[in-house]
Amino acid sequence: AKYKKLLFSLCWFHSVLVDRRKFLNLGWNIPYDFNDSDFDVSELCLSLYLDEYEETPWDALKYLIAEINYGGRVTDDWDRRLMNVYMNAFFNDDAISTSNYKLSSLSHYFIPDDGTLQSYREFCVTLPGVDRPEAFGQHPNADIASQISEGSEMLQTIVSLQPRSAEAEGSGPEAKVLVVAGDLSGLIPPPFNVRELLHEQLDEPTPLVTVLVQEMQRYNAVLTKIASSLANLEKAIKGLVVMSSELEVVFNALLEGRVPASWLSAYPSLKPLAAWSRDLLQRIAQLQIWAEQGPPKVFWLTGFTYPTGFLTALMQTSARKNNVSIDSLAWDFQVINLEEKDIMQPPKEGAYVKGLFLEGAGWNYEQSCLAEPEPMELVYSMPIIHFRPVESRARRAGRGVYQCPLYMYPLRTGSRERPSFMIVVDLKSGQSEPEHWVKRGTALLLALDH
C-alpha cells in the first residue's frame, strides 16, 4: 500500500514538472526536458528503498529523486527550490497515512485509496481533461500571462513576414523607416559632458559618484551608437553610402518596431521600440538630475545599466560610515507606504527604491504583504522599498517571510553575458505559507516587456 501511494505521488510529481512548462516564466526559469527515463530511475529507487528499509527513508528518497534524478537537469537555483517544495508536498508521512491525500487545492486531485491497477486507471479517467492552473499551485492569471506571451510572439512573426515592396504615394518601407529614424534623432539627447557636470566631485569620488560616472559613460556609449546608426541609416536610404549588413539589421528592426540588438549593449530589454525609447529618456533624465542637483531622495533602480553596482556602492558607503567590513553587511527591506512626493529627505542608511514590479502575486498595500491577485491583474506596482544595509547577525528572516528573487527584466534566465537575477528581497508572505508563492513563481522585476 505504501509503494502504491508513493508511486502515484511520483507519477503526479513527474506530470506537474513536465506540464508546468506551459506557464513560461511563471513555470520554470529555464524549460527542462524531463522524460520517462527520469521517472523510471526514480521509480526504481523508490521500490528498492521501500524494500530495504522498514521505516520510510524520506530524506534519502527526496534527495535521490529531487536533487539527483530530476535535479540533475536543473541548473537554476530557484527552479531547484521549486522542485524541492513539490517534493516535500507530495512525499511525506501524510501522503501514506491520510486517506485521499490532496495533491492540490482542487478537489479532483488526490491519492486514491489502495486498490488494483484497474482501479487506479479508472480513477485517472475521472480526472479533468484540461488541467486548471490551480492543479499546479498556480493562479488562473498564469494561463492568461502565457497566452498573451504566445499571442505576442505570433504577431511578431506575422509582422516580420510583411512584404517589403514599395506602396503607393511613397509610403514604402524606406519612407516609414526614414520617419521613425527622424523622430528618434529628434528625441535622443546628446551624450553627457561628465567632466563639466561633476568637475568638483571627481577629485575625491565617493562610491556613489563612481557609480554615477560609470553609468554616464555607459549611456554615452549607447547614445553615440544610436546617433551614429541613425545618421548612417538615413544616408544609406538616400543612397549616399552603402547599406551595410549592420545597417540593414537596424533598418529591419525599426521597420518592425523592435530595438536593434546593437543598441542593447548597455542593458537588456524586451520592450518594443516606442516603449524602449521613452524608457531611455527617463533613465537619462534621472542621471541628469542626480548630476545637477545631487542624489535623489528616491532612486529609480530600473534606471541603472548595472543596478547591482549601485547596491554595492550603497553597501560600501554604509561600511565606511560605520567602520565595518562590507562582508559583514546584508540587506534589510522595509516597505514604505508613502508617495514619493511625501518623502522629505533620504534615509540615513541605504536608499529608498521605487519602480519595482511584482509578478505572480498580488500586494496588500494596507498590510504590506503578499496577497492573492485580482483576476486579470498580472503585475502589481510595488510601493517604495527602503534598501538598508545591516550587519548580518542583526538580520533575522523570521517565519512567514518569502524570499523573493529580483530580476532585471521578464526573461528570468537572462543571457550568458548578463544574468537577469540580482538579489533576494524578503517580503511578508501574508496569509499563505512561503511555499505557496514558490509554486506561483512569484518574483520582483525591475522592468516589464511593454
Side-chain angles (χ1 to χ4, degrees):
K2 183 194 292 187
Y3 169 73
K4 289 178 185 176
K5 287 196 169 190
L6 291 183
L7 179 60
F8 192 90
S9 267
L10 182 63
C11 292
W12 178 254
F13 176 74
H14 177 81
S15 305
V16 166
L17 298 193
V18 171
D19 279 358
R20 199 178 159 90
R21 287 181 59 168
K22 69 181 181 181
F23 299 116
L24 305 179
N25 286 330
L26 292 175
W28 297 102
N29 285 358
I30 301 170
Y32 302 101
D33 292 319
F34 299 115
N35 55 41
D36 291 346
S37 65
D38 301 320
F39 176 80
D40 293 340
V41 174
S42 298
E43 188 275 328
L44 182 63
C45 289
L46 180 64
S47 59
L48 285 173
Y49 271 71
L50 291 181
D51 288 342
E52 285 290 326
Y53 297 95
E54 198 169 313
E55 282 195 19
T56 312
W58 292 118
D59 290 343
L61 278 174
K62 288 176 184 177
Y63 189 83
L64 280 168
I65 296 171
E67 294 284 351
I68 296 177
N69 297 342
Y70 286 93
R73 297 181 185 278
V74 177
T75 54
D76 184 271
D77 289 340
W78 302 104
D79 288 341
R80 193 178 299 277
R81 177 177 75 163
L82 170 65
M83 187 177 286
N84 282 315
V85 164
Y86 275 134
M87 178 53 62
N88 290 329
F90 304 151
F91 276 68
N92 53 51
D93 287 319
D94 289 341
I96 298 170
S97 59
T98 305
S99 177
N100 294 343
Y101 178 75
K102 290 185 72 174
L103 294 167
S104 85
S105 59
L106 299 175
S107 58
H108 314 290
Y109 305 101
F110 57 86
I111 300 175
D113 290 330
D114 188 19
T116 62
L117 178 59
Q118 185 58 30
S119 70
Y120 281 94
R121 284 177 177 156
E122 288 170 359
F123 171 77
C124 291
V125 170
T126 66
L127 295 175
V130 177
D131 297 313
R132 286 166 53 189
E134 294 93 326
F136 305 85
Q138 281 284 12
H139 189 275
N141 284 351
D143 256 351
I144 300 166
S146 59
Q147 288 160 3
I148 289 172
S149 180
E150 287 166 1
S152 299
E153 200 172 313
M154 184 180 71
L155 289 172
Q156 282 178 4
T157 305
I158 293 170
V159 168
S160 69
L161 295 174
Q162 284 188 111
R164 301 294 165 89
S165 57
E167 298 169 15
E169 298 177 9
S171 58
E174 289 82 2
K176 289 178 182 175
V177 172
L178 269 176
V179 171
V180 173
D183 290 344
L184 282 173
S185 297
L187 276 176
I188 301 304
F192 294 106
N193 188 329
V194 179
R195 188 151 294 280
E196 185 181 304
L197 282 169
L198 300 172
H199 58 94
E200 292 177 1
Q201 299 175 58
L202 291 175
D203 298 334
E204 293 183 15
T206 63
L208 283 176
V209 170
T210 303
V211 166
L212 177 58
V213 171
Q214 291 172 346
E215 289 290 325
M216 284 179 156
Q217 289 169 343
R218 291 191 198 107
Y219 279 114
N220 277 354
V222 173
L223 294 172
T224 304
K225 178 68 180 175
I226 294 172
S228 165
S229 295
L230 292 175
N232 289 331
L233 183 62
E234 287 183 22
K235 289 177 184 175
I237 292 172
K238 292 173 182 175
L240 301 175
V241 297
V242 176
M243 177 75 82
S244 65
S245 57
E246 185 184 341
L247 287 176
E248 195 170 345
V249 169
V250 175
F251 178 93
N252 289 330
L254 296 189
L255 183 62
E256 294 169 13
R258 293 183 290 107
V259 183
S262 57
W263 297 3
L264 294 172
S265 57
Y267 61 95
S269 176
L270 299 179
K271 292 178 184 288
L273 182 62
W276 181 84
S277 54
R278 287 193 299 270
D279 178 74
L280 177 63
L281 294 178
Q282 288 178 330
R283 290 164 177 261
I284 300 297
Q286 174 172 248
L287 296 184
Q288 187 77 35
I289 292 169
W290 183 0
E292 292 172 353
Q293 302 174 14
K297 296 190 289 290
V298 180
F299 285 93
W300 182 44
L301 194 58
T302 313
F304 294 95
T305 57
Y306 277 85
T308 44
F310 168 70
L311 295 179
T312 303
L314 290 178
M315 282 277 197
Q316 287 177 326
T317 303
S318 183
R320 290 178 184 179
K321 181 180 174 183
N322 298 306
N323 200 22
V324 295
S325 164
I326 192 171
D327 296 333
S328 68
L329 295 176
W331 287 110
D332 181 65
F333 306 96
Q334 185 181 355
V335 177
I336 309 295
N337 285 324
L338 288 174
E339 296 288 330
E340 184 178 356
K341 64 180 187 304
D342 298 327
I343 294 176
M344 295 296 115
Q345 56 187 24
K348 293 178 181 176
E349 297 280 353
Y352 293 133
V353 168
K354 66 176 179 178
L356 304 188
F357 299 98
L358 183 65
E359 184 180 40
W363 185 256
N364 185 326
Y365 292 94
E366 292 179 2
Q367 304 290 331
S368 294
C369 65
L370 295 170
E372 292 298 321
E374 293 294 322
M376 294 296 292
E377 290 286 338
L378 307 183
V379 174
Y380 279 72
S381 294
M382 286 293 288
I384 292 168
I385 299 177
H386 182 190
F387 281 54
R388 185 167 67 99
V390 296
E391 290 201 51
S392 300
R393 62 175 180 271
R395 179 182 170 277
R396 287 194 182 89
R399 284 176 60 82
V401 172
Y402 171 61
Q403 293 193 307
C404 186
L406 171 61
Y407 297 99
M408 284 188 70
Y409 63 124
L411 186 63
R412 299 185 183 187
T413 45
S415 61
R416 188 176 290 126
E417 298 79 23
R418 288 289 298 273
S420 185
F421 172 72
M422 284 178 48
I423 59 168
V424 177
V425 177
D426 292 337
L427 299 175
K428 293 178 185 175
S429 60
Q431 296 180 352
S432 304
E433 292 295 320
E435 290 77 13
H436 175 78
W437 304 113
V438 173
K439 292 178 189 175
R440 290 284 175 90
T442 301
L444 287 169
L445 305 175
L446 284 187
L448 303 177
D449 56 2
H450 56 269

